[in-house]
Amino acid sequence: MWRANVIVTAVLVGLIWTIQWVHYPLFAAVPAAAFPAYHAAHVARITPLVGPLMVAELVLAAAWWWQSWRAGQGLRVASVGLALVAVAWIATALLSVPLHERLADGAEPLLVAALVRTNLVRAIAWTVRLAVVAGWGGSAAAA
């Protein structure tokens, strides 16, 4: 289970930082007339990539928490890992999705800037989670 947690979280970390430094900032360079189609294509292509990874990570984090709870060891670290997944999900639901819904009608520089800025919550949560999960590898619960 440890390898699966590390792999899925590492993929999400790479993906979210690519989105943070490449995709979202480029939204500002798309001409206004082309933006709705560009944004729709972005959402249509990124959602099937990110969605299953987020679900897999949630399942793996919950399984790690459950395994730690049953084993009576490593529960604090597993709880931190699960809480970081919750942060990413909550930020997605309360920040990213509403901003994308507003951007679907057209580019607004303030909304693009808000998307870049608030996406840092997810990027940091996933990065810290990767550090937590990678550090978990030596524990007895990692089997």
Side-chain angles (χ1 to χ4, degrees):
M1 182 186 326
W2 174 72
R3 283 181 185 88
N5 268 278
V6 170
I7 290 167
V8 170
T9 301
V11 170
L12 280 165
V13 167
L15 186 57
I16 200 66
W17 282 109
T18 301
I19 290 168
Q20 180 68 28
W21 291 106
V22 178
H23 289 272
Y24 286 171
L26 285 174
F27 281 11
V30 177
F35 188 85
Y38 178 86
H39 182 264
H42 168 80
V43 171
R45 291 177 182 202
I46 204 75
T47 301
L49 182 60
V50 175
L53 287 168
M54 287 181 67
V55 170
E57 185 187 42
L58 178 61
V59 169
L60 289 165
W64 171 23
W65 185 90
W66 177 252
Q67 181 183 32
S68 297
W69 180 77
R70 291 195 53 188
Q73 61 184 15
L75 186 58
R76 186 173 301 148
V77 175
S79 296
V80 169
L82 186 57
L84 289 163
V85 172
V87 168
W89 276 78
I90 291 167
T92 299
L94 298 181
L95 301 172
S96 300
V97 169
L99 285 168
H100 276 290
E101 288 173 350
R102 291 177 64 190
L103 284 166
D105 294 329
E108 291 184 37
L110 291 177
L111 291 179
V112 171
L115 187 62
V116 172
R117 187 178 59 256
T118 60
N119 191 60
L120 279 171
V121 174
R122 298 187 308 165
I124 291 167
W126 275 319
T127 302
V128 172
R129 176 169 158 71
L130 180 58
V132 168
V133 172
W136 167 56
S139 74

